[in-house]
């Protein structure tokens, strides 16, 4: 099956810093989503981005489908950005495959 | 616009018991998927329901079963609980897009502890 690798596994930032999270996948995909999991466990949708670039406030994402990677940019980080960020892909059918996540800690 | 809702939020069971978890999809969605998330890991696909049928299944034993009702809500049943079934169970809803699944939206999850 398709493999999803996220890097880095852990990231500690000072408030106000910028960061880039990476997601590599092993095959072509029909769907790619980025999620933020809050401390209570809920997965919050950040981007639905099988290809191209999108921006939402301080967050933006780029997926280069031909090179099988996606990047999530966080600018001017805030303590509320802390949590786990997941990339998930769907190749064929109905099963989203998740990466192991990036744990982000933003210190004030 | 109501999002995906799950119940109960927390529950504790003992080994060998059975559990039923419930999910109501986001308004307008017709497909429900269930995922299991063990501590420190990414969610793993259990199965998906569409038109009251199991559409696809992940690598989970038959102890895990489900149902979808005419109003698109769904239940996940786990029989003969094992300690290893302790996890966060996440429900996601979406709209079918041809043969594939569209963007998924997740509920807050049901945290199951098996003692």
């Amino acid at each position: 099956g398709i493999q999803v690798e996220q890097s880095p596994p852990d990231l500690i930032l000072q408030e106000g810093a910028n960061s880039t999270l990476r997601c590599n996948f092993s095959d072509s995909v029909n769907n790619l989503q980025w999620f933020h999991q809050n401390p209570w466990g809920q997965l919050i949708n950040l981007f639905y981005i099988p290809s191209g670039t999108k921006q939402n406030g301080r967050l933006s994402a780029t997926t280069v489908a031909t090179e099988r990677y996606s990047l999530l940019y966080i600018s001017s980080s805030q303590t509320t950005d802390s949590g786990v960020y997941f990339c998930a892909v769907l190749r064929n059918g109905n099963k989203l495959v998740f990466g192991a996540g990036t744990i982000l800690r933003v210190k004030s | 616009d109501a999002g995906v809702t799950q119940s109960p939020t927390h529950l504790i069971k003992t080994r060998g018991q059975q559990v039923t978890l419930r999910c109501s999809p986001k308004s307008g969605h017709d497909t429900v998927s269930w995922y299991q998330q063990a501590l420190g890991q990414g969610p793993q696909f259990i199965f998906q329901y569409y038109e009251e049928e199991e559409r696809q299944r992940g690598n989970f034993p038959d102890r895990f079963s489900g149902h979808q009702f005419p109003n698109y809500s769904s239940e996940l049943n786990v029989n003969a609980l094992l300690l290893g079934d302790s996890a966060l169970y996440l429900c996601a809803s979406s709209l079918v897009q041809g043969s594939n699944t569209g963007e998924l939206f997740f509920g807050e999850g049901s945290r199951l502890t098996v003692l």
Side-chain angles (χ1 to χ4, degrees):
Chain A
I2 193 166
Q3 305 296 314
V4 182
E5 294 183 358
Q6 291 187 242
S7 59
D10 286 277
L11 185 58
I12 300 175
L13 297 176
Q14 199 65 36
E15 197 169 28
N18 302 329
S19 63
T20 301
L21 281 56
R22 187 177 179 102
C23 172
N24 293 330
F25 41 96
S26 59
D27 210 334
S28 60
V29 298
N30 294 317
N31 174 7
L32 187 146
Q33 291 187 242
W34 283 97
F35 298 94
H36 176 212
Q37 189 163 42
N38 66 24
W40 297 271
Q42 185 165 14
L43 287 168
I44 309 298
N45 287 41
L46 297 178
F47 295 101
Y48 172 72
I49 187 168
S51 63
T53 297
K54 292 185 177 179
Q55 180 156 7
N56 184 4
R58 296 181 296 104
L59 303 182
S60 63
T62 294
T63 297
V64 184
T66 54
E67 298 187 20
R68 300 179 184 168
Y69 72 89
S70 184
L71 302 174
L72 177 69
Y73 305 95
I74 304 174
S75 64
S76 304
S77 59
Q78 301 175 358
T79 56
T80 52
D81 295 332
S82 297
V84 185
Y85 289 80
F86 286 104
C87 167
V89 303
L90 186 151
R91 173 161 164 72
N92 292 313
N94 314 291
K95 168 183 162 181
L96 262 189
V97 177
F98 283 76
T102 292
I103 300 173
L104 175 64
R105 300 179 182 88
V106 181
K107 299 166 65 174
S108 59
Chain B
D1 179 22
V4 180
T5 58
Q6 294 187 240
S7 64
T9 54
H10 294 82
L11 68 167
I12 300 173
K13 294 285 187 179
T14 56
R15 281 180 298 174
Q17 285 190 312
Q18 178 263 345
V19 68
T20 297
L21 308 178
R22 296 176 177 83
C23 173
S24 292
K26 183 178 169 67
S27 178
H29 283 184
D30 57 7
T31 302
V32 173
S33 304
W34 288 93
Y35 288 77
Q36 180 197 64
Q37 187 178 18
L39 199 61
Q41 299 182 19
Q44 300 289 317
F45 176 76
I46 303 175
F47 41 53
Q48 184 184 82
Y49 277 83
Y50 171 66
E51 293 187 339
E52 302 180 48
E53 297 283 336
E54 185 182 288
R55 199 172 185 219
Q56 188 172 352
R57 187 180 184 92
N59 188 24
F60 280 80
D62 292 344
R63 299 186 297 108
F64 289 77
S65 64
H67 190 77
Q68 185 179 33
F69 299 95
N71 66 354
Y72 306 119
S73 67
S74 177
E75 289 182 349
L76 164 65
N77 300 291
V78 187
N79 294 322
L81 285 167
L82 304 174
L83 296 180
D85 295 331
S86 295
L88 179 67
Y89 288 85
L90 294 162
C91 171
S93 74
S94 57
L95 266 176
V96 165
Q97 294 181 347
S99 59
N100 291 321
T101 294
E103 184 177 5
L104 269 68
F105 293 83
F106 283 82
E108 294 185 0
S110 295
R111 192 170 296 277
L112 171 65
T113 301
V114 182
L115 302 177

